[in-house]
Amino acid sequence: MPIIKSHGSGKFKKKELGSIGRNVVFEDDILVFHPENVEIGNNVYIGHRTILKGYHRNKLIIGDDTWIGQSVMLHSAGGIRIGKNVGIAPLVCIFSSQHDINDCSNAIITNKKLFYKEVIIEDGCDIGWRATILPGVKIGKGSIVGAGAVVTKDVEPFSIVAGVPAKKLRKIKE
């Protein structure tokens, strides 16, 4: 069984993941945090230098037939659910927690409360190079997120969004 690197605990075997399907490809230098909370479906590719940041609570779930490019950051403190047949280009970042900027205390930002909101990417989506998806966002079925987009709001199914912040460009025919 292949050995995969894990932050903090040295090396671990694939069987230490919460679950793992058949025909899963891990490229070199992947970091996995809290592997017990990472679930991977069948026929999944994960590119080199990707970080699968499981968390002590909530799950990072990757559906069947999904392709994750190189140097992707998936931070699942609030939970991340990636559907089936999803493409995630290199250098994408998906975050499901952030510091509360509305906290009125005088604490520096890194000492402010965190809030957690699940990110959902439904089946058949394509996330472009260097896109960033923020906590609480749902990307609807069959949607495309353009390269470099920063997604701060939900995306309707079968839509194309792009820009900073991401805005809907048009619908895709179903």
Side-chain angles (χ1 to χ4, degrees):
M1 180 165 293
I3 303 295
I4 309 299
K5 294 180 183 175
S6 170
H7 178 77
S9 62
K11 296 180 180 182
F12 74 97
K13 294 183 177 167
K14 286 183 180 181
K15 68 181 180 181
E16 292 177 340
L17 293 166
S19 67
I20 186 165
R22 296 177 316 280
N23 195 31
V24 174
V25 175
F26 283 93
E27 290 289 339
D28 292 335
D29 299 324
I30 294 171
L31 293 176
V32 179
F33 297 68
H34 288 280
E36 69 278 8
N37 289 328
V38 176
E39 300 176 4
I40 301 173
N42 297 316
N43 306 312
V44 172
Y45 168 89
I46 301 172
H48 59 271
R49 290 188 297 278
T50 287
I51 298 174
L52 302 177
K53 181 85 167 162
Y55 204 66
H56 63 87
R57 61 180 189 187
N58 298 315
K59 300 276 186 186
L60 169 54
I61 300 169
I62 301 169
D64 296 344
D65 303 303
T66 290
W67 188 91
I68 297 173
Q70 300 78 22
S71 300
V72 168
M73 170 62 162
L74 302 177
H75 192 283
S76 67
I80 296 175
R81 281 189 287 152
I82 299 169
K84 297 176 181 179
N85 298 301
V86 172
I88 299 177
L91 303 168
V92 167
C93 294
I94 301 174
F95 301 101
S96 60
S97 67
Q98 70 184 47
H99 292 279
D100 183 359
I101 60 172
N102 296 316
D103 176 348
C104 295
S105 71
N106 290 328
I108 60 172
I109 191 70
T110 56
N111 291 339
K112 291 183 184 282
K113 291 181 200 171
L114 283 171
F115 68 86
Y116 305 91
K117 290 189 177 181
E118 183 178 46
V119 171
I120 300 170
I121 301 174
E122 293 186 334
D123 297 347
C125 291
D126 187 39
I127 312 300
W129 275 75
R130 288 191 189 270
T132 299
I133 300 172
L134 297 181
V137 168
K138 179 179 181 180
I139 310 288
K141 181 178 181 178
S143 291
I144 298 171
V145 174
V150 177
V151 185
T152 61
K153 297 178 189 173
D154 290 353
V155 175
E156 294 175 19
F158 300 100
S159 296
I160 299 173
V161 299
V164 179
K167 291 185 172 42
K168 181 174 155 185
L169 300 179
R170 67 181 174 89
K171 290 288 278 183
I172 301 169
K173 293 181 182 178
E174 295 183 36

Coordinates of all heavy atoms in Angstrom, one line a residue, residues 36-119:
E36 N -8.7 11.0 9.2 CA -9.9 10.3 9.6 C -11.2 11.0 9.1 O -12.3 10.4 9.1 CB -9.9 10.1 11.1 CG -10.1 11.3 11.9 CD -8.8 12.1 12.2 OE1 -7.8 11.8 11.6 OE2 -8.9 13.1 13.0
N37 N -11.1 12.3 8.8 CA -12.2 13.1 8.4 C -12.2 13.4 6.9 O -12.9 14.4 6.5 CB -12.3 14.4 9.2 CG -12.8 14.1 10.6 OD1 -13.5 13.2 10.9 ND2 -12.3 14.9 11.6
V38 N -11.4 12.7 6.2 CA -11.3 12.9 4.7 C -11.9 11.6 4.1 O -11.5 10.5 4.3 CB -9.9 13.1 4.3 CG1 -9.8 13.2 2.7 CG2 -9.3 14.3 4.9
E39 N -12.9 11.8 3.2 CA -13.6 10.7 2.5 C -13.4 10.9 1.0 O -13.8 12.0 0.5 CB -15.0 10.6 2.9 CG -15.2 10.4 4.4 CD -16.7 10.4 4.8 OE1 -17.6 10.5 3.9 OE2 -16.9 10.3 6.0
I40 N -12.9 9.9 0.3 CA -12.6 10.1 -1.2 C -13.3 8.9 -1.9 O -13.2 7.8 -1.5 CB -11.1 10.0 -1.4 CG1 -10.4 11.1 -0.6 CG2 -10.8 10.1 -2.9 CD1 -8.9 11.1 -0.7
G41 N -14.1 9.3 -3.0 CA -14.8 8.3 -3.8 C -13.9 7.6 -4.7 O -12.7 7.6 -4.6
N42 N -14.5 6.9 -5.7 CA -13.9 6.1 -6.8 C -13.3 7.0 -7.9 O -13.9 8.1 -8.2 CB -14.8 5.1 -7.4 CG -15.3 4.1 -6.3 OD1 -14.6 3.6 -5.5 ND2 -16.6 3.9 -6.4
N43 N -12.3 6.6 -8.5 CA -11.7 7.2 -9.7 C -11.4 8.7 -9.5 O -11.8 9.6 -10.3 CB -12.7 7.1 -10.9 CG -13.1 5.6 -11.1 OD1 -12.2 4.8 -11.2 ND2 -14.4 5.3 -11.2
V44 N -10.7 9.0 -8.4 CA -10.3 10.4 -8.1 C -8.8 10.5 -8.3 O -8.0 9.7 -7.9 CB -10.7 10.7 -6.6 CG1 -10.2 12.0 -6.2 CG2 -12.2 10.6 -6.4
Y45 N -8.4 11.7 -8.9 CA -7.0 12.1 -9.1 C -6.8 13.3 -8.2 O -7.6 14.2 -8.2 CB -6.8 12.4 -10.6 CG -5.5 13.1 -10.8 CD1 -4.3 12.3 -11.0 CD2 -5.3 14.5 -10.7 CE1 -3.1 12.9 -11.2 CE2 -4.1 15.1 -10.9 CZ -3.0 14.3 -11.2 OH -1.8 14.9 -11.3
I46 N -5.7 13.2 -7.5 CA -5.3 14.4 -6.6 C -3.8 14.7 -7.0 O -2.9 13.9 -6.8 CB -5.4 14.1 -5.1 CG1 -6.9 13.7 -4.8 CG2 -5.0 15.3 -4.3 CD1 -7.1 13.2 -3.4
G47 N -3.7 15.9 -7.5 CA -2.4 16.4 -8.0 C -1.3 16.7 -6.9 O -1.7 16.9 -5.8
H48 N -0.1 16.7 -7.4 CA 1.0 16.9 -6.4 C 0.9 18.2 -5.7 O 0.4 19.2 -6.2 CB 2.4 16.7 -7.1 CG 2.6 17.7 -8.3 ND1 2.2 17.4 -9.6 CD2 3.2 18.9 -8.3 CE1 2.6 18.4 -10.3 NE2 3.1 19.3 -9.6
R49 N 1.5 18.2 -4.5 CA 1.6 19.4 -3.6 C 0.2 19.9 -3.2 O 0.1 21.1 -2.8 CB 2.4 20.5 -4.2 CG 3.9 20.1 -4.2 CD 4.8 21.3 -4.6 NE 4.6 21.8 -5.9 CZ 5.1 21.2 -7.0 NH1 5.9 20.2 -6.9 NH2 4.9 21.8 -8.2
T50 N -0.8 19.1 -3.3 CA -2.2 19.5 -2.8 C -2.2 19.3 -1.3 O -1.6 18.4 -0.7 CB -3.2 18.7 -3.5 OG1 -3.3 19.1 -4.9 CG2 -4.6 18.8 -2.9
I51 N -3.0 20.2 -0.6 CA -3.2 20.1 0.8 C -4.7 19.7 1.0 O -5.6 20.4 0.6 CB -2.9 21.4 1.5 CG1 -1.4 21.7 1.3 CG2 -3.2 21.3 3.0 CD1 -1.0 23.0 1.9
L52 N -4.9 18.6 1.6 CA -6.3 18.1 2.1 C -6.3 18.4 3.6 O -5.9 17.6 4.4 CB -6.5 16.6 1.7 CG -6.3 16.2 0.3 CD1 -6.5 14.7 0.2 CD2 -7.3 17.0 -0.6
K53 N -6.9 19.5 3.9 CA -6.9 20.0 5.3 C -8.2 19.5 6.0 O -9.2 20.2 6.0 CB -6.7 21.5 5.4 CG -6.7 22.1 6.7 CD -5.3 22.1 7.3 CE -5.3 22.9 8.6 NZ -4.2 22.7 9.4
G54 N -8.2 18.2 6.4 CA -9.2 17.8 7.2 C -9.2 18.6 8.5 O -8.3 19.3 8.8
Y55 N -10.2 18.4 9.3 CA -10.2 19.2 10.6 C -10.7 18.2 11.7 O -11.3 17.2 11.4 CB -11.2 20.4 10.4 CG -11.0 21.5 11.3 CD1 -9.8 22.3 11.2 CD2 -11.9 21.9 12.2 CE1 -9.6 23.4 12.0 CE2 -11.7 23.0 13.1 CZ -10.6 23.7 13.0 OH -10.4 24.8 13.8
H56 N -10.6 18.6 12.9 CA -11.0 17.7 14.0 C -12.5 17.5 14.1 O -13.0 16.6 14.8 CB -10.5 18.2 15.4 CG -11.0 19.6 15.8 ND1 -12.2 19.7 16.5 CD2 -10.5 20.8 15.5 CE1 -12.4 21.0 16.7 NE2 -11.4 21.7 16.1
R57 N -13.3 18.3 13.4 CA -14.7 18.1 13.2 C -15.0 18.4 11.7 O -14.2 19.0 11.0 CB -15.5 19.0 14.1 CG -15.2 20.5 13.9 CD -16.0 21.3 14.8 NE -16.0 22.7 14.4 CZ -16.5 23.7 15.1 NH1 -17.1 23.5 16.3 NH2 -16.4 24.9 14.7
N58 N -16.2 18.1 11.3 CA -16.7 18.2 9.9 C -15.9 17.4 9.0 O -14.8 16.8 9.3 CB -16.7 19.7 9.5 CG -17.6 20.5 10.4 OD1 -18.8 20.1 10.6 ND2 -17.2 21.6 10.9
K59 N -16.3 17.2 7.8 CA -15.7 16.3 6.8 C -15.3 17.0 5.5 O -15.9 18.1 5.2 CB -16.8 15.3 6.4 CG -17.3 14.4 7.5 CD -16.4 13.3 7.8 CE -17.1 12.3 8.8 NZ -16.2 11.3 9.2
L60 N -14.3 16.5 4.9 CA -13.9 16.8 3.6 C -14.3 15.6 2.7 O -13.7 14.5 2.9 CB -12.4 17.1 3.5 CG -11.8 17.2 2.1 CD1 -12.4 18.2 1.3 CD2 -10.3 17.5 2.2
I61 N -15.3 15.8 1.9 CA -15.8 14.7 1.1 C -15.6 15.0 -0.4 O -16.0 16.1 -0.9 CB -17.3 14.5 1.3 CG1 -17.5 14.2 2.8 CG2 -17.9 13.4 0.4 CD1 -19.0 14.2 3.3
I62 N -14.9 14.1 -1.1 CA -14.6 14.2 -2.5 C -15.4 13.1 -3.3 O -15.1 11.9 -3.0 CB -13.1 14.1 -2.8 CG1 -12.4 15.3 -2.0 CG2 -12.8 14.2 -4.3 CD1 -10.9 15.1 -2.0
G63 N -16.3 13.5 -4.2 CA -17.1 12.5 -4.9 C -16.4 11.7 -6.0 O -15.2 12.1 -6.4
D64 N -17.0 10.7 -6.5 CA -16.5 9.9 -7.6 C -16.1 10.7 -8.9 O -16.8 11.7 -9.2 CB -17.5 8.8 -8.0 CG -17.9 7.8 -7.0 OD1 -17.1 7.7 -6.0 OD2 -18.9 7.2 -7.1
D65 N -15.1 10.2 -9.6 CA -14.7 10.7 -10.9 C -14.4 12.2 -10.9 O -14.7 12.9 -11.8 CB -15.9 10.5 -11.9 CG -16.2 9.0 -12.0 OD1 -15.3 8.2 -12.3 OD2 -17.4 8.6 -11.8
T66 N -13.7 12.6 -9.8 CA -13.3 14.0 -9.6 C -11.8 14.1 -9.8 O -11.1 13.3 -9.5 CB -13.7 14.5 -8.2 OG1 -15.2 14.6 -8.2 CG2 -13.1 15.8 -7.9
W67 N -11.4 15.2 -10.5 CA -10.0 15.5 -10.8 C -9.7 16.8 -10.0 O -10.3 17.8 -10.1 CB -9.9 15.8 -12.3 CG -8.5 15.9 -12.7 CD1 -7.6 14.9 -13.1 CD2 -7.7 17.1 -12.8 NE1 -6.4 15.4 -13.4 CE2 -6.4 16.8 -13.3 CE3 -8.0 18.4 -12.5 CZ2 -5.4 17.7 -13.5 CZ3 -6.9 19.4 -12.7 CH2 -5.7 19.0 -13.2
I68 N -8.6 16.7 -9.2 CA -8.1 17.8 -8.4 C -6.7 18.1 -8.9 O -5.8 17.3 -8.7 CB -8.2 17.6 -6.9 CG1 -9.6 17.4 -6.5 CG2 -7.5 18.7 -6.1 CD1 -9.8 16.9 -5.1
G69 N -6.4 19.3 -9.4 CA -5.1 19.7 -9.9 C -4.1 19.9 -8.9 O -4.2 19.7 -7.7
Q70 N -2.9 20.3 -9.3 CA -1.7 20.5 -8.5 C -1.9 21.7 -7.6 O -2.5 22.7 -8.0 CB -0.5 20.6 -9.4 CG -0.2 19.5 -10.3 CD -1.1 19.4 -11.5 OE1 -1.7 20.4 -12.0 NE2 -1.3 18.2 -12.1
S71 N -1.3 21.6 -6.4 CA -1.2 22.7 -5.5 C -2.5 23.3 -5.1 O -2.7 24.5 -4.9 CB -0.2 23.8 -6.0 OG 1.0 23.2 -6.2
V72 N -3.5 22.5 -4.9 CA -4.9 22.9 -4.5 C -4.9 22.9 -3.0 O -4.3 22.0 -2.3 CB -6.0 22.0 -5.1 CG1 -7.3 22.2 -4.4 CG2 -6.0 22.2 -6.6
M73 N -5.6 23.9 -2.4 CA -5.8 23.9 -0.9 C -7.2 23.8 -0.6 O -8.1 24.6 -1.0 CB -5.3 25.3 -0.4 CG -5.6 25.6 1.0 SD -4.9 24.4 2.1 CE -5.0 25.2 3.7
L74 N -7.6 22.7 0.1 CA -8.9 22.4 0.5 C -8.9 22.5 2.1 O -8.4 21.6 2.7 CB -9.4 21.1 0.0 CG -9.4 20.8 -1.5 CD1 -9.9 19.4 -1.8 CD2 -10.3 21.9 -2.2
H75 N -9.5 23.5 2.7 CA -9.5 23.7 4.1 C -10.9 23.5 4.6 O -11.8 24.3 4.5 CB -9.0 25.1 4.4 CG -8.7 25.3 5.9 ND1 -9.7 25.5 6.8 CD2 -7.5 25.4 6.5 CE1 -9.1 25.6 8.0 NE2 -7.8 25.6 7.9
S76 N -11.1 22.3 5.3 CA -12.5 21.9 5.5 C -12.9 22.1 7.0 O -13.7 21.3 7.5 CB -12.7 20.5 5.1 OG -11.9 19.6 5.9
A77 N -12.5 23.1 7.7 CA -12.9 23.3 9.1 C -14.4 23.4 9.2 O -15.0 22.8 10.2 CB -12.3 24.6 9.6
G78 N -15.1 24.0 8.3 CA -16.6 24.1 8.3 C -17.2 23.0 7.4 O -18.4 22.9 7.4
G79 N -16.4 22.2 6.8 CA -16.9 21.1 6.0 C -16.9 21.5 4.5 O -17.2 22.6 4.1
I80 N -16.4 20.5 3.7 CA -16.4 20.7 2.2 C -17.0 19.4 1.6 O -16.6 18.3 1.9 CB -15.0 21.0 1.6 CG1 -14.4 22.3 2.2 CG2 -15.1 21.0 0.1 CD1 -13.0 22.5 1.8
R81 N -18.0 19.6 0.7 CA -18.6 18.5 0.0 C -18.4 18.7 -1.5 O -19.0 19.7 -2.0 CB -20.1 18.3 0.3 CG -20.3 17.6 1.6 CD -21.8 17.2 1.8 NE -22.5 18.4 2.1 CZ -23.8 18.6 1.8 NH1 -24.5 17.6 1.1 NH2 -24.4 19.7 2.1
I82 N -17.6 17.9 -2.2 CA -17.4 18.0 -3.6 C -18.1 16.9 -4.3 O -17.9 15.7 -3.9 CB -15.9 18.0 -3.9 CG1 -15.2 19.2 -3.2 CG2 -15.6 18.0 -5.4 CD1 -13.6 19.1 -3.3
G83 N -19.0 17.2 -5.2 CA -19.8 16.2 -5.9 C -19.0 15.3 -6.8 O -17.8 15.3 -6.8
K84 N -19.8 14.6 -7.7 CA -19.2 13.7 -8.7 C -18.9 14.5 -10.0 O -19.5 15.5 -10.3 CB -20.2 12.6 -9.0 CG -20.5 11.7 -7.8 CD -21.6 10.7 -8.2 CE -21.9 9.8 -6.9 NZ -23.0 8.9 -7.2
N85 N -17.9 14.0 -10.7 CA -17.5 14.5 -12.0 C -17.1 16.0 -11.9 O -17.6 16.8 -12.8 CB -18.6 14.3 -13.0 CG -18.9 12.8 -13.2 OD1 -18.0 12.1 -13.6 ND2 -20.1 12.4 -12.9
V86 N -16.4 16.4 -10.9 CA -16.0 17.8 -10.7 C -14.5 17.9 -11.1 O -13.7 17.0 -10.9 CB -16.2 18.2 -9.2 CG1 -15.6 19.6 -9.0 CG2 -17.6 18.2 -8.8
G87 N -14.2 19.0 -11.8 CA -12.9 19.4 -12.1 C -12.4 20.6 -11.3 O -13.1 21.6 -11.3
I88 N -11.3 20.4 -10.6 CA -10.7 21.6 -9.9 C -9.3 21.8 -10.4 O -8.4 21.0 -10.2 CB -10.7 21.2 -8.4 CG1 -12.2 21.0 -7.9 CG2 -10.1 22.4 -7.6 CD1 -12.3 20.6 -6.4
A89 N -9.1 22.9 -11.0 CA -7.9 23.3 -11.7 C -6.8 23.5 -10.6 O -7.0 23.7 -9.4 CB -8.0 24.5 -12.5
P90 N -5.5 23.5 -11.1 CA -4.4 23.8 -10.2 C -4.6 25.2 -9.5 O -5.2 26.1 -10.0 CB -3.2 23.8 -11.1 CG -3.6 22.9 -12.2 CD -5.0 23.2 -12.4
L91 N -4.0 25.2 -8.3 CA -3.9 26.4 -7.4 C -5.2 27.0 -6.9 O -5.3 28.1 -6.4 CB -3.1 27.5 -8.2 CG -1.7 27.1 -8.7 CD1 -1.2 28.1 -9.7 CD2 -0.8 26.9 -7.5
V92 N -6.3 26.2 -7.0 CA -7.6 26.6 -6.4 C -7.5 26.5 -4.9 O -6.8 25.6 -4.3 CB -8.7 25.7 -6.9 CG1 -10.0 25.9 -6.1 CG2 -8.9 26.0 -8.4
C93 N -8.1 27.5 -4.2 CA -8.2 27.5 -2.7 C -9.7 27.5 -2.3 O -10.5 28.3 -2.8 CB -7.6 28.7 -2.1 SG -5.8 28.8 -2.4
I94 N -10.1 26.6 -1.5 CA -11.4 26.5 -0.9 C -11.4 26.5 0.6 O -10.7 25.7 1.2 CB -12.2 25.2 -1.4 CG1 -12.2 25.2 -3.0 CG2 -13.6 25.2 -0.8 CD1 -12.8 23.9 -3.5
F95 N -12.0 27.5 1.2 CA -12.0 27.7 2.6 C -13.4 27.6 3.2 O -14.3 28.2 2.6 CB -11.4 29.1 3.0 CG -10.0 29.3 2.4 CD1 -9.8 30.0 1.3 CD2 -8.9 28.7 3.1 CE1 -8.5 30.2 0.8 CE2 -7.6 28.9 2.6 CZ -7.4 29.7 1.5
S96 N -13.5 27.0 4.3 CA -14.9 26.9 5.0 C -14.9 27.5 6.4 O -15.8 27.2 7.1 CB -15.3 25.4 5.0 OG -14.4 24.6 5.7
S97 N -13.9 28.3 6.7 CA -13.9 29.0 7.9 C -13.2 30.3 7.7 O -12.3 30.5 6.8 CB -13.2 28.2 9.1 OG -11.9 28.1 8.8
Q98 N -13.5 31.3 8.6 CA -12.8 32.6 8.5 C -13.0 33.3 9.8 O -13.9 33.0 10.6 CB -13.2 33.5 7.3 CG -14.5 34.1 7.4 CD -14.9 34.8 6.2 OE1 -14.7 34.4 5.1 NE2 -15.5 36.0 6.3
H99 N -12.1 34.3 10.1 CA -12.2 35.1 11.3 C -13.4 36.1 11.1 O -13.6 36.6 10.0 CB -10.9 35.9 11.5 CG -9.8 34.9 11.9 ND1 -9.6 34.5 13.2 CD2 -8.8 34.4 11.2 CE1 -8.6 33.7 13.3 NE2 -8.0 33.6 12.1
D100 N -14.0 36.4 12.2 CA -15.2 37.3 12.2 C -14.8 38.7 12.1 O -14.4 39.3 13.2 CB -16.1 37.0 13.4 CG -17.3 37.8 13.4 OD1 -17.6 38.6 12.5 OD2 -18.1 37.6 14.4
I101 N -14.8 39.3 11.0 CA -14.4 40.7 10.9 C -15.4 41.7 11.5 O -15.1 42.9 11.7 CB -14.1 41.1 9.4 CG1 -15.4 41.0 8.5 CG2 -13.0 40.3 8.8 CD1 -15.2 41.5 7.1
N102 N -16.6 41.2 11.8 CA -17.6 42.1 12.5 C -17.5 42.0 14.0 O -18.2 42.7 14.7 CB -19.0 41.7 12.0 CG -19.1 42.0 10.6 OD1 -18.7 43.0 10.1 ND2 -19.7 41.0 9.8
D103 N -16.5 41.2 14.5 CA -16.3 41.1 16.0 C -15.8 42.5 16.4 O -14.8 43.0 15.9 CB -15.2 40.0 16.2 CG -14.8 39.9 17.7 OD1 -15.2 40.8 18.5 OD2 -14.1 38.9 18.0
C104 N -16.5 43.1 17.3 CA -16.2 44.5 17.7 C -15.1 44.6 18.8 O -14.7 45.7 19.2 CB -17.5 45.2 18.3 SG -18.7 45.4 17.0
S105 N -14.6 43.5 19.2 CA -13.5 43.5 20.2 C -12.3 44.2 19.6 O -12.1 44.3 18.4 CB -13.2 42.1 20.7 OG -12.5 41.4 19.7
N106 N -11.3 44.6 20.4 CA -10.1 45.2 20.0 C -9.0 44.1 19.6 O -7.9 44.5 19.4 CB -9.6 46.1 21.0 CG -10.4 47.4 21.1 OD1 -11.0 47.8 20.1 ND2 -10.5 47.9 22.3
A107 N -9.4 42.9 19.6 CA -8.5 41.8 19.3 C -7.9 41.9 17.9 O -8.7 42.3 17.0 CB -9.1 40.4 19.5
I108 N -6.7 41.6 17.7 CA -6.2 41.5 16.4 C -6.9 40.4 15.6 O -7.5 39.5 16.2 CB -4.6 41.3 16.3 CG1 -4.3 40.0 17.0 CG2 -3.9 42.4 17.0 CD1 -2.8 39.6 16.9
I109 N -6.9 40.5 14.3 CA -7.8 39.6 13.5 C -7.6 38.1 13.8 O -8.5 37.4 13.9 CB -7.7 39.9 12.0 CG1 -8.8 39.2 11.2 CG2 -6.3 39.6 11.5 CD1 -10.2 39.7 11.4
T110 N -6.3 37.7 14.0 CA -6.1 36.3 14.2 C -6.6 35.8 15.6 O -6.6 34.6 15.8 CB -4.6 36.0 14.1 OG1 -3.8 36.8 15.0 CG2 -4.1 36.2 12.6
N111 N -6.9 36.8 16.5 CA -7.5 36.4 17.8 C -9.0 36.5 17.8 O -9.6 36.2 18.8 CB -6.9 37.2 18.9 CG -5.4 36.9 19.1 OD1 -4.9 35.8 18.7 ND2 -4.7 37.8 19.7
K112 N -9.6 37.0 16.7 CA -11.1 37.1 16.7 C -11.7 35.7 16.5 O -11.0 34.8 16.0 CB -11.5 38.0 15.6 CG -11.1 39.5 15.9 CD -11.6 40.4 14.8 CE -11.2 41.8 15.0 NZ -12.0 42.5 16.0
K113 N -12.9 35.6 16.8 CA -13.7 34.3 16.7 C -13.6 33.8 15.3 O -13.6 34.6 14.3 CB -15.1 34.5 17.1 CG -15.3 34.7 18.6 CD -16.8 34.8 18.8 CE -17.1 35.5 20.1 NZ -18.5 35.8 20.3
L114 N -13.6 32.5 15.1 CA -13.8 31.9 13.8 C -15.2 31.5 13.6 O -15.9 31.2 14.6 CB -12.9 30.6 13.7 CG -11.4 30.8 13.5 CD1 -10.7 29.4 13.6 CD2 -11.1 31.4 12.1
F115 N -15.7 31.6 12.4 CA -17.0 31.0 12.1 C -16.8 30.0 11.0 O -15.9 30.1 10.1 CB -18.1 32.1 11.8 CG -17.9 32.8 10.5 CD1 -18.4 32.4 9.3 CD2 -17.4 34.1 10.6 CE1 -18.3 33.1 8.2 CE2 -17.2 34.8 9.4 CZ -17.7 34.3 8.2
Y116 N -17.6 29.0 11.0 CA -17.5 27.9 10.1 C -18.8 27.7 9.2 O -19.9 27.7 9.8 CB -17.4 26.6 10.9 CG -16.2 26.7 11.9 CD1 -16.4 27.1 13.2 CD2 -14.9 26.3 11.6 CE1 -15.4 27.2 14.1 CE2 -13.9 26.3 12.5 CZ -14.1 26.8 13.7 OH -13.1 26.9 14.6
K117 N -18.6 27.6 7.9 CA -19.7 27.4 7.0 C -19.3 26.4 5.9 O -18.3 26.7 5.3 CB -20.2 28.7 6.4 CG -20.9 29.6 7.4 CD -21.5 30.8 6.7 CE -22.2 31.7 7.7 NZ -22.8 32.8 7.1
E118 N -20.1 25.4 5.7 CA -19.8 24.4 4.7 C -19.8 25.0 3.3 O -20.6 25.8 3.0 CB -20.8 23.3 4.8 CG -20.6 22.1 3.9 CD -21.6 21.0 4.1 OE1 -22.8 21.3 4.1 OE2 -21.1 19.8 4.1
V119 N -18.9 24.5 2.5 CA -18.8 24.7 1.1 C -19.3 23.5 0.4 O -18.9 22.4 0.7 CB -17.4 25.1 0.6 CG1 -17.3 25.2 -0.9 CG2 -16.9 26.4 1.3

